[in-house]
Amino acid sequence: MPALALVLLLLPTLAAVPSYQWPVLPPQVLRRFDPPPEPWLAGHRGVDLGATAGAPVRAAGGGVVVYTGTLAGRGVISIQHAGGLRTTYEPVTATVRAGDVVAAGDPIGSVEPGHPGCPQTTCLHWGLRRGEVYLDPLALLGLGRVRLLPLNR
């Protein structure tokens, strides 16, 4: 009975979770989130989505654009969302600027070719962070892998 009560208490908060959507269509996951075992090690801190050069990129969720610019030679867009979440998109040509407010599905730029490690010529690297912790962006769509962590972390 207590477990049932806990589920019932969580239902109202789940209804308030903002909706998220794919940043490029049609959705094609080419490379999944594969975080390193330690933060300083190499890993894949996002997902690569298949796309064509020039394809529109849309905000996965509503928020405020906090960065548009070039990092490591690639165009990057970062959007701050409710709950301390931040999504990133690269390589892109931005059509938004820092400070712009966007809704889920709003166009924010277009995909550029040349993402390193992408198994095809063009793909969008889509990332998600809460603070300094990288998360699986597919979790925003209810598609992320569940990972159990030790209690002593």
Side-chain angles (χ1 to χ4, degrees):
M1 203 75 156
L4 180 59
L6 179 61
V7 170
L8 292 176
L9 288 174
L10 291 176
L11 285 177
T13 55
L14 291 176
V17 173
S19 64
Y20 287 88
Q21 58 187 342
W22 292 100
V24 291
L25 294 173
Q28 179 188 17
V29 178
L30 300 176
R31 189 170 170 209
R32 292 193 69 116
F33 180 69
D34 185 21
E38 298 295 339
W40 58 86
L41 296 173
H44 193 240
R45 294 169 174 86
V47 295
D48 290 343
L49 304 174
T52 57
V57 178
R58 301 185 180 280
V64 177
V65 177
V66 292
Y67 180 83
T68 62
T70 303
L71 290 174
R74 294 184 296 275
V76 177
I77 299 170
S78 290
I79 300 174
Q80 186 70 43
H81 306 279
L85 296 175
R86 180 177 292 197
T87 53
T88 58
Y89 312 80
E90 67 170 282
V92 296
T93 300
T95 56
V96 291
R97 293 196 242 195
D100 287 353
V101 175
V102 295
D106 282 355
I108 58 172
S110 58
V111 181
E112 298 173 352
H115 175 60
C118 179
Q120 67 183 39
T121 306
T122 306
C123 64
L124 177 73
H125 180 82
W126 180 33
L128 173 65
R129 286 183 10 197
R130 177 178 279 129
E132 297 302 313
V133 178
Y134 287 87
L135 305 169
D136 185 347
L138 295 179
L140 295 173
L141 306 171
L143 303 171
R145 292 182 184 157
V146 174
R147 289 185 46 185
L148 299 177
L149 298 174
L151 290 175
N152 62 353
R153 272 202 156 189

